[in-house]
Amino acid sequence: MTGGAGFVGSHLCKALLDAGAAVTCVDDLSTGRPENIAPLLDRPGFTLVQANVAQELPVRRRPDLVLHFASPASPADYLRLPLHTMETGSAGTGNALILAHESEARFVLASTSEVYGDPQQNPQDERYWGNVNPVGPRSVYDEAKRFGEALTTAHAETYGTDTCIVRLFNTYGPGMRGHDGRAVPTFVRQALAGEPLTVTGDGRQTRSLCYVDDTVAGILAAAAHGLRGPVNIGNPSEISMLALARLVVALAGSSSEVRYIERPVDDPAVRCPDITLARDKLGWEPRVGAEEGLRRTIDWFRAESARG
């Protein structure tokens, strides 16, 4: 499990351990949180290897499944670590593919809805090629993931490696960092602190939020199925950023107001997955609605704040 100390990666590690699997977590902790995996360190079958996957994958155990989730994923991180992001998506993906091929293991690549860029099609299905600026500020992440998809596909075609590409849409939940730059943790942190919620632009741009438990279930369903993909894993319920901010304020019982700030360059106007393929092939769809998922997330952030 590369990137196993990250937000989604740590939830996957726990789910796999709960299912009885032995898990080797490989992470350089450049963006992953040690706190995310601290409860797993003493569990039987869990091994932590601190390494940069773009340089090496020092895994001794022959795996049955390789989940490649290593990558800075939030704007704050990939804008701070542009070259690291691209190296992880290219050389890191290559190293993970080699490990999977040599071990005759199933390989799952964590791709992203960012491969669709600022889409001119809504909702986005897997046949849509996207609308990506290859030299914009978001390109280091977008193009790293697009290259990772191309490399994964080439490996499967050339060597017969058993691969799967999952495109994740706006996952949120407990374990996120309050300052990682994504909307949900930013809004929750601000609401609980009584600060204004910073909505970019006019707030009419939309996202589709998928609670992390649903995302993990979708990833594991894809890993078990044999589907090559790409397959969208996300919640098809769209919400505007302004509506999301107001919902977080209400659920947090906060008195915070909304403050509008400049919208980032190349910020997508819409983002919504077509999950027909996941429903038909995997029998998967999200189960946790926005209010319930946000309530759980707010409760987690409140508890973290109380612990200091």
Side-chain angles (χ1 to χ4, degrees), residues 26-241:
V26 183
D27 203 301
D28 66 359
L29 301 180
S30 59
T31 60
R33 300 173 71 242
E35 296 89 345
N36 286 343
I37 54 171
L40 309 180
L41 293 176
D42 294 328
R43 291 190 57 170
F46 183 79
T47 303
L48 172 63
V49 176
Q50 190 168 345
N52 180 349
V53 298
Q55 298 175 356
E56 60 175 343
L57 255 177
V59 177
R60 297 176 182 175
R61 182 184 293 128
R62 180 185 175 98
D64 301 300
L65 175 65
V66 175
L67 298 124
H68 181 44
F69 279 65
S71 177
S74 73
D77 288 334
Y78 61 69
L79 292 175
R80 177 174 58 88
L81 299 166
L83 295 179
H84 180 57
T85 300
M86 300 203 76
E87 289 163 358
T88 303
S90 53
T93 302
N95 287 338
L97 280 163
I98 290 169
L99 174 64
H101 176 67
E102 292 179 346
S103 303
E104 298 182 345
R106 174 81 162 150
F107 175 86
V108 178
L109 173 70
S111 189
T112 170
S113 59
E114 293 292 330
V115 300
Y116 298 121
D118 187 6
Q120 297 175 337
Q121 170 184 308
N122 197 49
Q124 298 86 55
D125 65 37
E126 292 86 354
R127 295 167 296 180
Y128 178 54
W129 291 356
N131 177 38
V132 176
N133 178 358
V135 294
R138 303 170 74 99
S139 65
V140 295
Y141 183 63
D142 300 356
E143 297 296 359
K145 290 298 186 180
R146 286 160 67 95
F147 180 85
E149 287 197 11
L151 184 58
T152 298
T153 302
H155 229 272
E157 295 288 346
T158 303
Y159 299 119
T161 309
D162 182 12
T163 66
C164 177
I165 298 167
V166 291
R167 291 176 177 165
L168 309 184
F169 280 69
N170 297 110
T171 303
Y172 73 100
M176 300 188 85
R177 291 177 290 125
H179 290 274
D180 81 353
R182 287 178 276 199
V184 169
T186 299
F187 288 165
V188 171
R189 172 180 56 79
Q190 291 170 336
L192 292 178
E195 301 171 356
L197 272 65
T198 49
V199 173
T200 62
D202 60 11
R204 289 188 292 180
Q205 64 272 30
T206 67
R207 296 294 182 269
S208 299
L209 306 176
C210 193
Y211 189 66
V212 64
D213 290 358
D214 285 331
T215 296
V216 166
I219 293 164
L220 294 181
H225 184 276
L227 180 71
R228 181 185 287 189
V231 57
N232 290 336
I233 300 295
N235 193 320
S237 297
E238 266 182 294
I239 186 171
S240 74
M241 291 297 92

Side-chain angles (χ1 to χ4, degrees), residues 240-256:
S240 74
M241 291 297 92
L242 180 57
L244 173 62
R246 289 172 173 165
L247 180 57
V248 168
V249 167
L251 293 174
S254 174
S255 59
S256 294

